Amino acid sequence: MLISTSVVAQELSLSGTVKDEKGVTLAGASVQIENSSRITVADEFGRFKLDKLSSGEYSLRIRFLGYADKTENISLNENRSVEITLEESV
């Protein structure tokens, strides 16, 4: 009898909302995992989602025209949702 086992890496997702300091959602904000080609754009409600991630530490780079770029360090070991606030550029 042959017994086969396989290990399947758990695929996680990171979702969230991008807003400004007044709570206004920022549709079209880009959210990128630094040092990778993984990028997404916030929808008309400021929501974004990155799928098929492994558990670990990630640095997200968030950009939106007229706002200061922001880097958020995220620890991911389960599906997670975050709220990101950008500040207007001066």
Side-chain angles (χ1 to χ4, degrees), residues 19-24 26 66-67 84-89:
K19 299 180 178 185
D20 69 9
E21 304 121 308
K22 298 173 187 166
V24 176
L26 299 177
Y67 290 79
I84 297 169
T85 303
L86 296 183
E87 297 178 5
E88 284 190 73
S89 305

Side-chain angles (χ1 to χ4, degrees), residues 9 13-14 23 27 35 45 56 61 63 69 74 76 78 80 87:
S13 66
L14 175 64
N35 303 315
F45 304 106
R61 180 77 166 193
R63 296 182 174 129
D69 291 358
I74 304 291
L76 190 65
E78 62 185 356
R80 186 166 173 197
E87 297 178 5

Side-chain angles (χ1 to χ4, degrees), residues 16-30 41-48 62-65 67 82-86:
T17 307
V18 183
K19 299 180 178 185
D20 69 9
E21 304 121 308
K22 298 173 187 166
V24 176
T25 56
L26 299 177
S30 66
V41 176
D43 68 11
E44 66 268 22
F45 304 106
R47 298 179 304 210
F48 68 90
I62 304 92
R63 296 182 174 129
F64 190 72
L65 187 63
Y67 290 79
V82 295
E83 186 171 298
I84 297 169
T85 303
L86 296 183

